[in-house]
Amino acid sequence: MTTATTASRRQGRGGRERILAAAAGLFAAQGINATGMEQIAERAPVSKRTLYAHFRTKDELVLAHLKDLASTGRTLEGALAREDIPARERILTLFDPPPAGTDPVRGCPFIDAAVEFPDPQNAVHSYAREQKLLMVRLVADLVAELGCREPSTLAEQLVTLADGAAGRAMVLGDSAYGRHARAAAQILLDHALPTTI
């Protein structure tokens, strides 16, 4: 192997991760459709050839971005899977503001992606739907664990509140908007769960 080939391979290491990081930042700042592949390559920084070697199409990149968010727990669904806090608190974390310094205020990345890829047959839209259904299942499991007799109904109510709050937070630019939905969620939980003596 020549020295030039070795140097070239060294520069290419971590390309996929840099591309995903660049895409995440740009998608959050300006939306998916408004972000071009050239812009992502420049931000990464990688050549367009490297970008397309990792992701043949923008749809593939968007799907990989969403899967990366899900696998690293950086979504509402990720908070529900944590086992270091009690079930009720996990549910209420759905309404917590994003970490300090998160800018701009964004709603749910899965809903954002589904809006930008409205065809239900599209792989991006389909994956977004899967994640939203997973969210309901995770909440239903938690409220069932807490003793709720109708976990599916309560789960749908809670995730509707969470998604609505995330959307309004983004539109209004108010990262703490979830406090309103959190108060409603606490009332729902209080009425649906058995009281402890």
Side-chain angles (χ1 to χ4, degrees), residues 45-69:
V46 296
S47 68
K48 286 198 314 186
R49 181 178 178 176
T50 298
L51 173 61
Y52 285 107
H54 287 288
F55 305 102
R56 291 175 301 160
T57 65
K58 187 173 179 184
D59 283 21
E60 279 188 16
L61 174 56
V62 173
L63 189 57
H65 159 67
L66 294 177
K67 288 180 177 182
D68 183 59
L69 286 177

PDB file of all heavy atoms in Angstrom, residues 45-69:
ATOM      1  N   PRO A  45     -16.347  18.064   7.319  1.00  0.00           N
ATOM      2  CA  PRO A  45     -16.186  18.240   5.878  1.00  0.00           C
ATOM      3  C   PRO A  45     -15.731  16.927   5.218  1.00  0.00           C
ATOM      4  O   PRO A  45     -14.819  16.264   5.710  1.00  0.00           O
ATOM      5  CB  PRO A  45     -15.070  19.278   5.785  1.00  0.00           C
ATOM      6  CG  PRO A  45     -14.236  19.029   6.994  1.00  0.00           C
ATOM      7  CD  PRO A  45     -15.175  18.504   8.062  1.00  0.00           C
ATOM      8  N   VAL A  46     -16.406  16.612   4.131  1.00  0.00           N
ATOM      9  CA  VAL A  46     -16.039  15.455   3.319  1.00  0.00           C
ATOM     10  C   VAL A  46     -16.272  15.823   1.862  1.00  0.00           C
ATOM     11  O   VAL A  46     -16.989  16.771   1.558  1.00  0.00           O
ATOM     12  CB  VAL A  46     -16.879  14.195   3.664  1.00  0.00           C
ATOM     13  CG1 VAL A  46     -16.636  13.734   5.092  1.00  0.00           C
ATOM     14  CG2 VAL A  46     -18.364  14.431   3.416  1.00  0.00           C
ATOM     15  N   SER A  47     -15.674  15.049   0.972  1.00  0.00           N
ATOM     16  CA  SER A  47     -15.940  15.272  -0.448  1.00  0.00           C
ATOM     17  C   SER A  47     -17.339  14.756  -0.770  1.00  0.00           C
ATOM     18  O   SER A  47     -17.884  13.915  -0.046  1.00  0.00           O
ATOM     19  CB  SER A  47     -14.910  14.533  -1.301  1.00  0.00           C
ATOM     20  OG  SER A  47     -15.098  13.130  -1.165  1.00  0.00           O
ATOM     21  N   LYS A  48     -17.911  15.244  -1.862  1.00  0.00           N
ATOM     22  CA  LYS A  48     -19.218  14.732  -2.278  1.00  0.00           C
ATOM     23  C   LYS A  48     -19.120  13.245  -2.598  1.00  0.00           C
ATOM     24  O   LYS A  48     -20.061  12.489  -2.344  1.00  0.00           O
ATOM     25  CB  LYS A  48     -19.747  15.522  -3.485  1.00  0.00           C
ATOM     26  CG  LYS A  48     -20.230  16.898  -3.092  1.00  0.00           C
ATOM     27  CD  LYS A  48     -21.141  17.563  -4.098  1.00  0.00           C
ATOM     28  CE  LYS A  48     -20.684  17.472  -5.504  1.00  0.00           C
ATOM     29  NZ  LYS A  48     -21.514  18.256  -6.440  1.00  0.00           N
ATOM     30  N   ARG A  49     -17.980  12.833  -3.103  1.00  0.00           N
ATOM     31  CA  ARG A  49     -17.782  11.414  -3.406  1.00  0.00           C
ATOM     32  C   ARG A  49     -17.894  10.581  -2.127  1.00  0.00           C
ATOM     33  O   ARG A  49     -18.536   9.529  -2.102  1.00  0.00           O
ATOM     34  CB  ARG A  49     -16.427  11.220  -4.074  1.00  0.00           C
ATOM     35  CG  ARG A  49     -16.138   9.789  -4.444  1.00  0.00           C
ATOM     36  CD  ARG A  49     -14.813   9.676  -5.146  1.00  0.00           C
ATOM     37  NE  ARG A  49     -14.539   8.280  -5.459  1.00  0.00           N
ATOM     38  CZ  ARG A  49     -13.513   7.871  -6.134  1.00  0.00           C
ATOM     39  NH1 ARG A  49     -12.625   8.744  -6.584  1.00  0.00           N
ATOM     40  NH2 ARG A  49     -13.329   6.603  -6.369  1.00  0.00           N
ATOM     41  N   THR A  50     -17.265  11.057  -1.049  1.00  0.00           N
ATOM     42  CA  THR A  50     -17.343  10.350   0.231  1.00  0.00           C
ATOM     43  C   THR A  50     -18.774  10.349   0.757  1.00  0.00           C
ATOM     44  O   THR A  50     -19.273   9.330   1.242  1.00  0.00           O
ATOM     45  CB  THR A  50     -16.402  10.994   1.268  1.00  0.00           C
ATOM     46  OG1 THR A  50     -15.062  10.886   0.796  1.00  0.00           O
ATOM     47  CG2 THR A  50     -16.529  10.335   2.626  1.00  0.00           C
ATOM     48  N   LEU A  51     -19.433  11.488   0.651  1.00  0.00           N
ATOM     49  CA  LEU A  51     -20.817  11.589   1.108  1.00  0.00           C
ATOM     50  C   LEU A  51     -21.694  10.549   0.410  1.00  0.00           C
ATOM     51  O   LEU A  51     -22.426   9.786   1.056  1.00  0.00           O
ATOM     52  CB  LEU A  51     -21.357  12.997   0.849  1.00  0.00           C
ATOM     53  CG  LEU A  51     -22.846  13.235   1.106  1.00  0.00           C
ATOM     54  CD1 LEU A  51     -23.201  12.980   2.561  1.00  0.00           C
ATOM     55  CD2 LEU A  51     -23.233  14.642   0.711  1.00  0.00           C
ATOM     56  N   TYR A  52     -21.583  10.494  -0.924  1.00  0.00           N
ATOM     57  CA  TYR A  52     -22.425   9.568  -1.683  1.00  0.00           C
ATOM     58  C   TYR A  52     -21.956   8.113  -1.560  1.00  0.00           C
ATOM     59  O   TYR A  52     -22.743   7.199  -1.812  1.00  0.00           O
ATOM     60  CB  TYR A  52     -22.525  10.003  -3.138  1.00  0.00           C
ATOM     61  CG  TYR A  52     -23.450  11.200  -3.302  1.00  0.00           C
ATOM     62  CD1 TYR A  52     -22.946  12.470  -3.570  1.00  0.00           C
ATOM     63  CD2 TYR A  52     -24.822  11.057  -3.156  1.00  0.00           C
ATOM     64  CE1 TYR A  52     -23.785  13.561  -3.697  1.00  0.00           C
ATOM     65  CE2 TYR A  52     -25.683  12.143  -3.279  1.00  0.00           C
ATOM     66  CZ  TYR A  52     -25.154  13.391  -3.545  1.00  0.00           C
ATOM     67  OH  TYR A  52     -25.992  14.468  -3.664  1.00  0.00           O
ATOM     68  N   ALA A  53     -20.728   7.899  -1.131  1.00  0.00           N
ATOM     69  CA  ALA A  53     -20.274   6.530  -0.862  1.00  0.00           C
ATOM     70  C   ALA A  53     -20.979   5.988   0.383  1.00  0.00           C
ATOM     71  O   ALA A  53     -21.280   4.796   0.475  1.00  0.00           O
ATOM     72  CB  ALA A  53     -18.767   6.491  -0.681  1.00  0.00           C
ATOM     73  N   HIS A  54     -21.249   6.872   1.342  1.00  0.00           N
ATOM     74  CA  HIS A  54     -21.935   6.469   2.569  1.00  0.00           C
ATOM     75  C   HIS A  54     -23.457   6.476   2.413  1.00  0.00           C
ATOM     76  O   HIS A  54     -24.149   5.613   2.959  1.00  0.00           O
ATOM     77  CB  HIS A  54     -21.543   7.389   3.729  1.00  0.00           C
ATOM     78  CG  HIS A  54     -20.155   7.164   4.229  1.00  0.00           C
ATOM     79  ND1 HIS A  54     -19.794   6.045   4.952  1.00  0.00           N
ATOM     80  CD2 HIS A  54     -19.037   7.922   4.109  1.00  0.00           C
ATOM     81  CE1 HIS A  54     -18.509   6.120   5.270  1.00  0.00           C
ATOM     82  NE2 HIS A  54     -18.019   7.240   4.760  1.00  0.00           N
ATOM     83  N   PHE A  55     -23.970   7.467   1.686  1.00  0.00           N
ATOM     84  CA  PHE A  55     -25.419   7.635   1.530  1.00  0.00           C
ATOM     85  C   PHE A  55     -25.710   7.933   0.063  1.00  0.00           C
ATOM     86  O   PHE A  55     -25.420   9.032  -0.415  1.00  0.00           O
ATOM     87  CB  PHE A  55     -25.924   8.778   2.421  1.00  0.00           C
ATOM     88  CG  PHE A  55     -25.543   8.605   3.858  1.00  0.00           C
ATOM     89  CD1 PHE A  55     -24.484   9.327   4.406  1.00  0.00           C
ATOM     90  CD2 PHE A  55     -26.219   7.708   4.675  1.00  0.00           C
ATOM     91  CE1 PHE A  55     -24.118   9.161   5.729  1.00  0.00           C
ATOM     92  CE2 PHE A  55     -25.855   7.529   5.997  1.00  0.00           C
ATOM     93  CZ  PHE A  55     -24.800   8.257   6.532  1.00  0.00           C
ATOM     94  N   ARG A  56     -26.292   6.952  -0.616  1.00  0.00           N
ATOM     95  CA  ARG A  56     -26.517   7.104  -2.061  1.00  0.00           C
ATOM     96  C   ARG A  56     -27.530   8.187  -2.391  1.00  0.00           C
ATOM     97  O   ARG A  56     -27.477   8.789  -3.460  1.00  0.00           O
ATOM     98  CB  ARG A  56     -26.964   5.772  -2.666  1.00  0.00           C
ATOM     99  CG  ARG A  56     -25.869   4.708  -2.673  1.00  0.00           C
ATOM    100  CD  ARG A  56     -26.400   3.389  -3.157  1.00  0.00           C
ATOM    101  NE  ARG A  56     -27.489   2.965  -2.270  1.00  0.00           N
ATOM    102  CZ  ARG A  56     -28.411   2.082  -2.575  1.00  0.00           C
ATOM    103  NH1 ARG A  56     -28.407   1.503  -3.759  1.00  0.00           N
ATOM    104  NH2 ARG A  56     -29.340   1.751  -1.711  1.00  0.00           N
ATOM    105  N   THR A  57     -28.479   8.417  -1.480  1.00  0.00           N
ATOM    106  CA  THR A  57     -29.503   9.437  -1.708  1.00  0.00           C
ATOM    107  C   THR A  57     -29.711  10.243  -0.430  1.00  0.00           C
ATOM    108  O   THR A  57     -29.324   9.812   0.666  1.00  0.00           O
ATOM    109  CB  THR A  57     -30.851   8.798  -2.096  1.00  0.00           C
ATOM    110  OG1 THR A  57     -31.330   8.038  -0.961  1.00  0.00           O
ATOM    111  CG2 THR A  57     -30.724   7.890  -3.322  1.00  0.00           C
ATOM    112  N   LYS A  58     -30.374  11.364  -0.581  1.00  0.00           N
ATOM    113  CA  LYS A  58     -30.694  12.168   0.596  1.00  0.00           C
ATOM    114  C   LYS A  58     -31.672  11.416   1.499  1.00  0.00           C
ATOM    115  O   LYS A  58     -31.577  11.495   2.725  1.00  0.00           O
ATOM    116  CB  LYS A  58     -31.277  13.512   0.176  1.00  0.00           C
ATOM    117  CG  LYS A  58     -31.476  14.462   1.346  1.00  0.00           C
ATOM    118  CD  LYS A  58     -31.884  15.830   0.869  1.00  0.00           C
ATOM    119  CE  LYS A  58     -32.099  16.762   2.036  1.00  0.00           C
ATOM    120  NZ  LYS A  58     -32.579  18.072   1.592  1.00  0.00           N
ATOM    121  N   ASP A  59     -32.603  10.679   0.906  1.00  0.00           N
ATOM    122  CA  ASP A  59     -33.541   9.892   1.715  1.00  0.00           C
ATOM    123  C   ASP A  59     -32.780   8.912   2.614  1.00  0.00           C
ATOM    124  O   ASP A  59     -33.125   8.747   3.789  1.00  0.00           O
ATOM    125  CB  ASP A  59     -34.514   9.108   0.827  1.00  0.00           C
ATOM    126  CG  ASP A  59     -35.620   9.993   0.244  1.00  0.00           C
ATOM    127  OD1 ASP A  59     -35.442  11.220   0.181  1.00  0.00           O
ATOM    128  OD2 ASP A  59     -36.651   9.429  -0.153  1.00  0.00           O
ATOM    129  N   GLU A  60     -31.746   8.266   2.074  1.00  0.00           N
ATOM    130  CA  GLU A  60     -30.934   7.345   2.881  1.00  0.00           C
ATOM    131  C   GLU A  60     -30.266   8.078   4.035  1.00  0.00           C
ATOM    132  O   GLU A  60     -30.199   7.559   5.153  1.00  0.00           O
ATOM    133  CB  GLU A  60     -29.853   6.677   2.025  1.00  0.00           C
ATOM    134  CG  GLU A  60     -30.329   5.508   1.228  1.00  0.00           C
ATOM    135  CD  GLU A  60     -29.176   4.767   0.549  1.00  0.00           C
ATOM    136  OE1 GLU A  60     -27.997   4.981   0.937  1.00  0.00           O
ATOM    137  OE2 GLU A  60     -29.454   3.989  -0.369  1.00  0.00           O
ATOM    138  N   LEU A  61     -29.773   9.276   3.770  1.00  0.00           N
ATOM    139  CA  LEU A  61     -29.117  10.063   4.812  1.00  0.00           C
ATOM    140  C   LEU A  61     -30.123  10.463   5.890  1.00  0.00           C
ATOM    141  O   LEU A  61     -29.839  10.366   7.088  1.00  0.00           O
ATOM    142  CB  LEU A  61     -28.451  11.302   4.212  1.00  0.00           C
ATOM    143  CG  LEU A  61     -27.847  12.298   5.205  1.00  0.00           C
ATOM    144  CD1 LEU A  61     -26.836  11.632   6.133  1.00  0.00           C
ATOM    145  CD2 LEU A  61     -27.217  13.461   4.456  1.00  0.00           C
ATOM    146  N   VAL A  62     -31.304  10.906   5.485  1.00  0.00           N
ATOM    147  CA  VAL A  62     -32.326  11.320   6.455  1.00  0.00           C
ATOM    148  C   VAL A  62     -32.727  10.131   7.324  1.00  0.00           C
ATOM    149  O   VAL A  62     -32.844  10.254   8.549  1.00  0.00           O
ATOM    150  CB  VAL A  62     -33.550  11.926   5.746  1.00  0.00           C
ATOM    151  CG1 VAL A  62     -34.674  12.200   6.732  1.00  0.00           C
ATOM    152  CG2 VAL A  62     -33.163  13.211   5.015  1.00  0.00           C
ATOM    153  N   LEU A  63     -32.913   8.987   6.709  1.00  0.00           N
ATOM    154  CA  LEU A  63     -33.278   7.785   7.457  1.00  0.00           C
ATOM    155  C   LEU A  63     -32.180   7.405   8.452  1.00  0.00           C
ATOM    156  O   LEU A  63     -32.445   7.097   9.619  1.00  0.00           O
ATOM    157  CB  LEU A  63     -33.559   6.644   6.486  1.00  0.00           C
ATOM    158  CG  LEU A  63     -34.168   5.375   7.063  1.00  0.00           C
ATOM    159  CD1 LEU A  63     -35.478   5.660   7.781  1.00  0.00           C
ATOM    160  CD2 LEU A  63     -34.390   4.355   5.952  1.00  0.00           C
ATOM    161  N   ALA A  64     -30.930   7.473   8.012  1.00  0.00           N
ATOM    162  CA  ALA A  64     -29.800   7.171   8.903  1.00  0.00           C
ATOM    163  C   ALA A  64     -29.739   8.180  10.053  1.00  0.00           C
ATOM    164  O   ALA A  64     -29.449   7.811  11.200  1.00  0.00           O
ATOM    165  CB  ALA A  64     -28.497   7.177   8.119  1.00  0.00           C
ATOM    166  N   HIS A  65     -30.018   9.428   9.757  1.00  0.00           N
ATOM    167  CA  HIS A  65     -30.045  10.478  10.781  1.00  0.00           C
ATOM    168  C   HIS A  65     -31.095  10.160  11.846  1.00  0.00           C
ATOM    169  O   HIS A  65     -30.816  10.219  13.050  1.00  0.00           O
ATOM    170  CB  HIS A  65     -30.334  11.830  10.108  1.00  0.00           C
ATOM    171  CG  HIS A  65     -30.875  12.873  11.011  1.00  0.00           C
ATOM    172  ND1 HIS A  65     -30.138  13.435  12.035  1.00  0.00           N
ATOM    173  CD2 HIS A  65     -32.102  13.457  11.067  1.00  0.00           C
ATOM    174  CE1 HIS A  65     -30.885  14.329  12.672  1.00  0.00           C
ATOM    175  NE2 HIS A  65     -32.075  14.354  12.110  1.00  0.00           N
ATOM    176  N   LEU A  66     -32.298   9.783  11.421  1.00  0.00           N
ATOM    177  CA  LEU A  66     -33.365   9.475  12.370  1.00  0.00           C
ATOM    178  C   LEU A  66     -33.022   8.240  13.202  1.00  0.00           C
ATOM    179  O   LEU A  66     -33.256   8.208  14.411  1.00  0.00           O
ATOM    180  CB  LEU A  66     -34.689   9.264  11.636  1.00  0.00           C
ATOM    181  CG  LEU A  66     -35.266  10.505  10.946  1.00  0.00           C
ATOM    182  CD1 LEU A  66     -36.536  10.139  10.189  1.00  0.00           C
ATOM    183  CD2 LEU A  66     -35.534  11.635  11.930  1.00  0.00           C
ATOM    184  N   LYS A  67     -32.444   7.238  12.542  1.00  0.00           N
ATOM    185  CA  LYS A  67     -32.054   6.022  13.264  1.00  0.00           C
ATOM    186  C   LYS A  67     -30.948   6.324  14.273  1.00  0.00           C
ATOM    187  O   LYS A  67     -30.926   5.760  15.377  1.00  0.00           O
ATOM    188  CB  LYS A  67     -31.621   4.935  12.290  1.00  0.00           C
ATOM    189  CG  LYS A  67     -32.789   4.338  11.521  1.00  0.00           C
ATOM    190  CD  LYS A  67     -32.344   3.255  10.566  1.00  0.00           C
ATOM    191  CE  LYS A  67     -33.553   2.635   9.871  1.00  0.00           C
ATOM    192  NZ  LYS A  67     -33.171   1.539   8.963  1.00  0.00           N
ATOM    193  N   ASP A  68     -30.053   7.232  13.912  1.00  0.00           N
ATOM    194  CA  ASP A  68     -28.981   7.629  14.826  1.00  0.00           C
ATOM    195  C   ASP A  68     -29.567   8.338  16.047  1.00  0.00           C
ATOM    196  O   ASP A  68     -29.166   8.059  17.185  1.00  0.00           O
ATOM    197  CB  ASP A  68     -27.981   8.535  14.094  1.00  0.00           C
ATOM    198  CG  ASP A  68     -26.805   8.922  14.966  1.00  0.00           C
ATOM    199  OD1 ASP A  68     -26.096   8.016  15.438  1.00  0.00           O
ATOM    200  OD2 ASP A  68     -26.601  10.136  15.176  1.00  0.00           O
ATOM    201  N   LEU A  69     -30.520   9.239  15.825  1.00  0.00           N
ATOM    202  CA  LEU A  69     -31.174   9.921  16.947  1.00  0.00           C
ATOM    203  C   LEU A  69     -31.833   8.906  17.874  1.00  0.00           C
ATOM    204  O   LEU A  69     -31.699   8.982  19.093  1.00  0.00           O
ATOM    205  CB  LEU A  69     -32.239  10.902  16.438  1.00  0.00           C
ATOM    206  CG  LEU A  69     -31.763  12.198  15.808  1.00  0.00           C
ATOM    207  CD1 LEU A  69     -32.957  12.993  15.295  1.00  0.00           C
ATOM    208  CD2 LEU A  69     -30.963  13.029  16.793  1.00  0.00           C
TER     209      LEU A  69
END
